[in-house]
Amino acid sequence: MRYSSLLQLTVALAAFSISVFAADSRYCMNKNVIKAKDFTLQESADSSHLAALAKHFEGTGKNLSVSAVLDSANRDLSKGHPPVGSGSPSEAWAWKSGDYKTTKWRPQGITSSADAFGKGDWNNHKAWIVSWYQTGDSVRVSFVDRKTNKYRHALLVYPSADDDFKSITIHAGGIMWYGNLLYVVDTNNGIRAFDLDNIWEVDIADGVGKNEKGYSADGYRYVLPQIRDSPDTLLVGEFVRDGEVDKNRDPVPIRLVKYQLDSTTRRLRTDDKGLATASWAHCVDILKVQGAVSYDDKFYLSRSNGRNPKAGDLFTWKEGKTAKEYPGWFMAGNEDLSYNPVRKEYYTVTEYDGGRYILSYKA
């Protein structure tokens, strides 16, 4: 595959293990091309309890596949009619009323089955996965079947014991479906990976984890367990506001970084010490970047302007060239981006209650 999908960091690259020199914001003020080798991710296997829990759910017949979750989708998307910018989306899908209006949850990241293997589908399903966060509480993802326009939520959890799991409290700003893994950005701890071959069915009840009758996940039927922290590439970007400075009162840098992925294992390509080193890094001068994707050396970046009537902007860029801006391309609240090379289209989600859509654009 020749494309990259964004995992967005919402603050400076504090989640990465980087050298002091690369972390110095003044570095970006002098040159745009920065040293990729200074950006590293340390793979940390955090799955000591996963095998025991997986064995339990397999033994009870409640370890399910992505296809089974899609087939059990219980909520409907409806054709939406959002305020149209110059981008004029080719498709607009609104969430079910409760998800469309809730202030409890906010959608953030989007990825598609085209990211998974590049052929456009997953076991004959064309699908999206969308991440939602609940501040200081938990993260869920929506499995969306593009054929039926139905979706189902699942809660992200981490195995906390051989017989228990807990909810995860991160922003989940960027996600990418790659093979049997779902990569999710953790602003404070790097990148987490979740096992799509282990989706567990639990009782629909309050509470998260083990209870006197079995397991529950705050009313959700499925949970998706974390397995670890941490020429296919993974593109990571930064969200920086106008005037934002570091502790030394220096401007905060805005950087894009790429990591290589192993198309065989579907994991980050690491050395024998489990260290993933960036293959490319560059400073950019685009504030409030929410999503980015690259394909054939061309980058697409989205910027949000809050609830501003001017909505969100699209930038296209090639290294060594000046970025081209399309003001007001997106409606307000635009977030992550994902590109589908099979259908030649890209996607975003919008986050504000009363205006939540999955939007599709022809590239």
Side-chain angles (χ1 to χ4, degrees):
M1 287 182 285
R2 297 168 293 169
Y3 65 98
S4 305
S5 188
L6 174 78
L7 291 182
Q8 176 222 344
L9 275 172
T10 55
V11 298
L13 291 176
F16 290 164
S17 172
I18 57 179
S19 71
V20 173
F21 183 59
D24 187 345
S25 62
R26 291 169 294 182
Y27 193 28
C28 275
M29 296 171 63
N30 300 320
K31 59 176 80 173
N32 283 331
V33 180
I34 54 180
K35 295 180 180 179
K37 68 180 181 63
D38 289 334
F39 295 84
T40 59
L41 289 170
Q42 178 66 53
E43 188 173 53
S44 173
D46 187 27
S47 55
S48 58
H49 304 298
L50 179 64
L53 272 169
K55 185 176 181 179
H56 165 79
F57 283 99
E58 286 172 1
T60 57
K62 293 186 176 181
N63 187 9
L64 304 177
S65 65
V66 171
S67 294
V69 175
L70 289 169
D71 289 339
S72 73
N74 61 342
R75 302 185 181 207
D76 293 300
L77 293 176
S78 59
K79 285 191 175 181
H81 303 282
V84 177
S86 59
S88 299
S90 56
E91 291 183 73
W93 294 98
W95 302 94
K96 187 177 179 180
S97 178
D99 294 324
Y100 185 79
K101 297 177 181 178
T102 182
T103 57
K104 182 178 179 180
W105 293 94
R106 283 195 175 193
Q108 293 291 295
I110 185 169
T111 183
S112 81
S113 49
D115 287 328
F117 285 113
K119 61 177 184 172
D121 61 38
W122 174 276
N123 292 337
N124 297 318
H125 285 279
K126 293 180 175 64
W128 287 303
I129 299 178
V130 175
S131 64
W132 304 63
Y133 81 99
Q134 183 180 180
T135 303
D137 196 339
S138 51
V139 176
R140 69 185 185 188
V141 291
S142 303
F143 291 85
V144 184
D145 191 322
R146 296 197 64 181
K147 182 178 180 180
T148 63
N149 299 319
K150 289 180 175 290
Y151 64 98
R152 182 136 206 164
H153 298 312
L155 198 70
L156 297 188
V157 300
Y158 71 93
S160 58
D162 284 354
D163 63 347
D164 205 357
F165 55 77
K166 293 183 179 179
S167 58
I168 290 172
T169 57
I170 60 175
H171 187 76
I175 62 175
M176 188 180 75
W177 184 356
Y178 190 61
N180 66 327
L181 298 179
L182 181 68
Y183 288 100
V184 181
V185 160
D186 178 338
T187 302
N188 297 313
N189 296 294
I191 299 171
R192 301 192 187 213
F194 295 82
D195 189 357
L196 291 168
D197 287 338
N198 274 294
I199 301 176
W200 302 333
E201 183 179 357
V202 297
D203 297 327
I204 298 178
D206 294 335
V208 176
K210 188 177 181 180
N211 55 45
E212 63 276 8
K213 295 182 179 180
Y215 293 89
S216 61
D218 266 349
Y220 293 99
R221 183 177 177 183
Y222 301 109
V223 297
L224 183 59
Q226 177 180 309
I227 61 170
R228 64 184 65 237
D229 298 332
S230 71
D232 292 354
T233 55
L234 175 72
L235 176 63
V236 183
E238 297 178 284
F239 179 92
V240 177
R241 294 181 176 86
D242 190 15
E244 193 168 347
V245 296
D246 64 16
K247 63 182 180 180
N248 297 317
R249 309 303 297 173
D250 291 318
V252 172
I254 309 171
R255 295 165 290 194
L256 295 175
V257 180
K258 282 186 178 182
Y259 293 88
Q260 289 187 325
L261 293 165
D262 189 318
S263 60
T264 302
T265 65
R266 318 309 284 184
R267 301 181 185 276
L268 285 167
R269 187 167 293 173
T270 59
D271 60 20
D272 56 4
K273 296 180 180 179
L275 192 69
T277 301
S279 58
W280 177 90
H282 207 288
C283 289
V284 297
D285 189 24
I286 301 174
L287 293 167
K288 299 181 291 186
V289 171
Q290 291 284 5
V293 67
S294 70
Y295 183 73
D296 281 348
D297 298 321
K298 185 175 183 179
F299 290 78
Y300 296 81
L301 301 98
S302 64
R303 173 166 68 193
S304 66
N305 297 306
R307 293 183 183 268
N308 190 314
K310 292 183 179 180
D313 309 320
L314 173 69
F315 293 83
T316 58
W317 171 65
K318 284 191 174 184
E319 188 175 352
K321 305 290 185 180
T322 300
K324 184 175 181 180
E325 181 180 0
Y326 299 84
W329 185 270
F330 299 109
M331 64 171 288
N334 58 300
E335 287 286 332
D336 196 12
L337 288 178
S338 177
Y339 180 66
N340 185 333
V342 177
R343 295 172 64 103
K344 299 293 187 295
E345 60 190 17
Y346 60 95
Y347 316 116
T348 191
V349 290
T350 54
E351 68 169 332
Y352 296 133
D353 51 289
R356 292 199 178 117
Y357 301 92
I358 297 174
L359 301 174
S360 175
Y361 297 82
K362 293 300 181 184

